[in-house]
Amino acid sequence: MKNKKEKKQEEEELTGMAAVWDYLKTFLIIFCVVFAMNKLVYINAVIPSESMQDTIMKGDRVLGNRLAYIKDNPERYDIVIFKYPDDPSKIFIKRVIGLPGETVTVKDGKIYIDGKEQTQAVSFCPEEMAGSFGPYEVPEDSYFVMGDNRNNSLDSRYWDNTYVKKEAILAKAGFRYWPLNKVGFVNKSAEK
């Protein structure tokens, strides 16, 4: 027969195990919620290059909204996070310039959509764009994208697979959370 001391020690061990199990369950629930949100609601992107300067800098960390294009389509000047058309294992971030069915042409650094000059298209750029490209006829369900740092951006102008298909768009870039001195929304500069 167990004495009172042994019974008390056994009860304490069971209580300790129950507490550990409670912590484990809480941790698992939090992990599953965060994992599900990362796969279904938001995407965390670390900016790997200078192609979106000065809007988003190399090393910035941005959250993108995966639900943004469930009902709506990307709009001109949205900043989108997508699978790189030439290597879908890589994630890129660029600004939408050409929409499905449009013709995009760059002449002497100026962007034309269906023959009309797009002055706002260069308002995001840190310097005047050089060169002439196109014309590019954007297929249905696809987008023509460019980095804001137009003279130093690997974008639709240079890819083998020129256009980003809608299904390859993972999210609309939303909130920069790093560095702390630049916390804020990144797509606000694209609002009309």
Side-chain angles (χ1 to χ4, degrees), residues 51 84-86 92 94 106 129-134 136 144-147 149-163:
S51 73
Y84 174 40
D86 289 345
F92 275 30
K94 304 283 182 206
V106 179
M129 182 172 48
S132 296
F133 305 89
Y136 303 97
F144 185 89
V145 298
M146 295 173 79
N149 190 2
R150 304 272 158 81
N151 294 322
N152 297 296
S153 176
L154 176 63
D155 54 38
S156 286
R157 296 170 290 168
Y158 303 106
W159 300 335
D160 291 334
N161 297 295
T162 305
Y163 310 101

Side-chain angles (χ1 to χ4, degrees), residues 2-191:
K2 296 178 183 176
N3 62 30
K4 286 184 179 182
K5 191 176 184 179
E6 288 174 335
K7 282 185 181 181
K8 187 174 181 176
Q9 186 177 0
E10 231 177 62
E11 286 174 9
E12 287 174 358
E13 285 176 11
L14 287 174
T15 303
M17 287 174 60
V20 168
W21 177 241
D22 283 344
Y23 285 123
L24 249 166
K25 285 192 297 190
T26 302
F27 174 78
L28 285 172
I29 289 169
I30 291 170
F31 176 80
C32 289
V33 167
V34 169
F35 181 79
M37 287 189 65
N38 188 39
K39 293 294 178 196
L40 303 172
V41 178
Y42 71 88
I43 187 169
N44 181 23
V46 179
I47 308 308
S49 72
E50 295 88 5
S51 73
M52 284 299 294
Q53 277 182 207
D54 288 332
T55 307
I56 307 170
M57 306 301 281
K58 182 178 180 178
D60 286 1
R61 295 176 181 264
V62 175
L63 292 177
N65 179 0
R66 288 184 185 268
L67 303 176
Y69 300 124
I70 297 291
K71 275 190 348 188
D72 300 321
N73 290 318
E75 294 181 12
R76 190 176 335 279
Y77 309 130
D78 280 358
I79 300 171
V80 294
I81 301 168
F82 58 92
K83 293 180 182 178
Y84 174 40
D86 289 345
D87 182 357
S89 69
K90 295 179 181 176
I91 304 299
F92 275 30
I93 184 168
K94 304 283 182 206
R95 190 177 297 276
V96 173
I97 300 298
L99 302 175
E102 294 181 333
T103 299
V104 179
T105 308
V106 179
K107 290 182 189 170
D108 299 321
K110 294 182 174 135
I111 296 173
Y112 296 85
I113 306 288
D114 294 335
K116 184 178 177 196
E117 185 179 349
Q118 302 295 302
T119 54
Q120 188 178 0
V122 293
S123 66
F124 311 109
C125 302
E127 62 186 15
E128 195 172 306
M129 182 172 48
S132 296
F133 305 89
Y136 303 97
E137 293 181 24
V138 184
E140 292 302 319
D141 260 1
S142 296
Y143 297 85
F144 185 89
V145 298
M146 295 173 79
D148 287 357
N149 190 2
R150 304 272 158 81
N151 294 322
N152 297 296
S153 176
L154 176 63
D155 54 38
S156 286
R157 296 170 290 168
Y158 303 106
W159 300 335
D160 291 334
N161 297 295
T162 305
Y163 310 101
V164 177
K165 294 195 175 295
K166 184 177 181 199
E167 67 222 26
I169 296 175
L170 301 172
K172 179 178 183 177
F175 190 77
R176 176 184 14 232
Y177 66 92
W178 188 262
L180 294 176
N181 64 336
K182 291 185 178 179
V183 168
F185 294 98
V186 296
N187 252 310
K188 69 178 183 195
S189 61
E191 291 173 1

